[in-house]
């Protein structure tokens, strides 16, 4: 992991963790939590701080507890492309592999619940619950990558912005064990600049499309960067998807 992270004393028991029901530990039994409590540590990174570089040895793995990180790749000529976002409950690191294929950079202040990788790997070998959950998360990540390819390749600017809001709304609802519904609210952690990088748009286009969604009453922006969605089905319609997540053609 990159240097510079702030270490925090453990303040949250695993059973009380805000990502408890969606993280890699979501299927754990009591004995698993006892071991996780023993080996975990919290690290906090400031916005813009590098959490890990592509290809470097990564001795720690863990979960995003709060905040957002960006996955990006740097081309030989210095150009950078964002290839994904890590949201609360997402897993950072690759058990069984020396390092990562992409840079991991904090988009906001971010707190990670981290484990020594060798200890975690041994625990995975003893716990089918963690191994099964890692497989589930890997498949979810594959689905998200395919969705992202569609989003970048075929969707309009309006559909891209609406799709990102739909994704974040669904993830926040899942984290709180809710079903996405009319009137939901979720935090918009990333800046418009980060949204532009992620979606392959200019900042001006992002701002115009967000303003258009507001004028049409599809979203409302509140205090502390909260996004309120009066009618979730209408927002999904703007994303180019149907209510079941399929693409409208």
């Amino acid at each position: 992991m990159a240097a510079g992270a702030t270490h925090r004393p453990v303040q949250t028991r695993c059973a009380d963790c805000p990502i408890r029901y969606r993280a890699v530990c979501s299927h754990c039994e009591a004995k698993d939590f006892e071991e996780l409590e023993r080996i975990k540590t919290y690290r906090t990174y400031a916005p813009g701080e590098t959490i890990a570089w592509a290809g470097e040895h990564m001795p720690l793995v863990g979960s995003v507890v709060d905040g957002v990180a960006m996955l990006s790749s740097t081309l030989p000529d210095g150009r950078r492309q964002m290839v994904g976002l890590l949201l609360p409950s997402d897993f950072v690191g690759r058990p069984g592999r020396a390092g990562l294929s992409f840079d991991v950079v904090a988009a906001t202040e971010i707190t990670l619940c981290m484990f020594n990788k060798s200890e975690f790997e041994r625990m995975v070998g003893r716990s089918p619950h963690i191994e099964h959950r890692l497989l589930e998360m890997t498949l979810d990540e594959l689905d998200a990558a395919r969705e992202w390819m569609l989003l970048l390749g075929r969707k309009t600017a309006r559909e891209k912005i609406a799709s990102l809001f739909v994704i974040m709304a669904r993830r926040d609802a899942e984290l709180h064990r809710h079903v996405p519904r009319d009137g939901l609210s979720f935090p918009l952690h990333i800046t418009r600049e980060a949204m532009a990088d992620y979606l392959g748009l200019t900042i001006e286009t992002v701002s115009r499309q967000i303003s258009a969604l507001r004028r049409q009453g599809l979203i409302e922006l509140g205090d502390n960067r909260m996004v309120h969605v009066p009618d979730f089905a209408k927002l999904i319609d703007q994303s180019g998807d149907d209510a079941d997540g399929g693409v409208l053609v």
Side-chain angles (χ1 to χ4, degrees), residues 40-118:
K40 75 180 182 181
T41 183
Y42 287 96
R43 293 190 172 198
T44 298
Y45 294 81
E49 191 171 357
T50 299
I51 298 169
W53 295 103
E56 75 169 355
H57 174 64
M58 188 173 177
L60 299 174
V61 296
S63 299
V64 178
V65 177
D66 184 62
V68 178
M70 300 178 291
L71 298 176
S72 63
S73 183
T74 303
L75 300 176
D77 62 4
R79 288 177 295 166
R80 292 177 64 86
Q81 174 63 55
M82 190 190 302
V83 298
L85 294 174
L86 293 175
L87 303 174
S89 79
D90 282 339
F91 196 73
V92 183
R94 288 290 184 267
R97 294 188 179 181
L100 296 172
S101 300
F102 306 104
D103 298 333
V104 184
V105 179
T108 67
E109 180 174 280
I110 187 170
T111 297
L112 305 176
C113 178
M114 307 301 293
F115 312 103
N116 177 277
K117 184 160 68 172
S118 59

Side-chain angles (χ1 to χ4, degrees), residues 7-231:
H7 294 262
R8 298 195 321 177
V10 175
Q11 298 177 344
T12 304
R13 296 187 306 115
C14 289
D16 300 325
C17 181
I19 60 171
R20 161 73 175 82
Y21 295 101
R22 201 179 188 281
V24 68
C25 55
S26 62
H27 300 334
C28 285
E29 297 180 337
K31 61 181 178 62
D32 298 318
F33 284 121
E34 291 176 4
E35 187 165 356
L36 289 173
E37 293 277 10
R38 180 181 63 80
I39 67 174
K40 75 180 182 181
T41 183
Y42 287 96
R43 293 190 172 198
T44 298
Y45 294 81
E49 191 171 357
T50 299
I51 298 169
W53 295 103
E56 75 169 355
H57 174 64
M58 188 173 177
L60 299 174
V61 296
S63 299
V64 178
V65 177
D66 184 62
V68 178
M70 300 178 291
L71 298 176
S72 63
S73 183
T74 303
L75 300 176
D77 62 4
R79 288 177 295 166
R80 292 177 64 86
Q81 174 63 55
M82 190 190 302
V83 298
L85 294 174
L86 293 175
L87 303 174
S89 79
D90 282 339
F91 196 73
V92 183
R94 288 290 184 267
R97 294 188 179 181
L100 296 172
S101 300
F102 306 104
D103 298 333
V104 184
V105 179
T108 67
E109 180 174 280
I110 187 170
T111 297
L112 305 176
C113 178
M114 307 301 293
F115 312 103
N116 177 277
K117 184 160 68 172
S118 59
E119 288 188 276
F120 185 79
E121 287 172 346
R122 287 193 292 271
M123 189 174 177
V124 170
R126 297 190 302 269
S127 173
H129 303 91
I130 296 179
E131 185 177 34
H132 179 66
R133 180 56 182 151
L134 274 174
L135 175 60
E136 287 182 336
M137 296 178 79
T138 300
L139 294 175
D140 287 344
E141 189 176 307
L142 177 61
D143 288 342
R146 289 169 173 167
E147 183 178 8
W148 184 76
M149 290 172 63
L150 170 66
L151 184 151
L152 286 187
R154 303 297 296 177
K155 291 193 174 184
T156 66
R158 169 69 60 85
E159 289 171 340
K160 289 180 180 182
I161 297 296
S163 293
L164 183 59
F165 285 164
V166 168
I167 290 168
M168 289 187 165
R170 283 176 169 155
R171 283 293 304 272
D172 189 72
E174 289 174 10
L175 200 62
H176 295 92
R177 307 177 76 187
H178 296 155
V179 176
R181 59 185 183 276
D182 294 348
L184 64 81
S185 296
F186 64 93
L188 183 63
H189 290 297
I190 61 174
T191 64
R192 296 189 181 193
E193 182 178 9
M195 292 173 66
D197 288 342
Y198 180 58
L199 299 173
L201 302 171
T202 66
I203 298 176
E204 293 76 15
T205 297
V206 170
S207 295
R208 284 198 301 270
Q209 295 302 331
I210 290 177
S211 295
L213 291 173
R214 292 181 66 185
R215 285 195 303 270
Q216 294 176 13
L218 296 169
I219 63 168
E220 300 169 2
L221 300 182
D223 296 334
N224 299 319
R225 297 181 59 79
M226 293 296 293
V227 178
H228 179 73
V229 183
D231 190 319

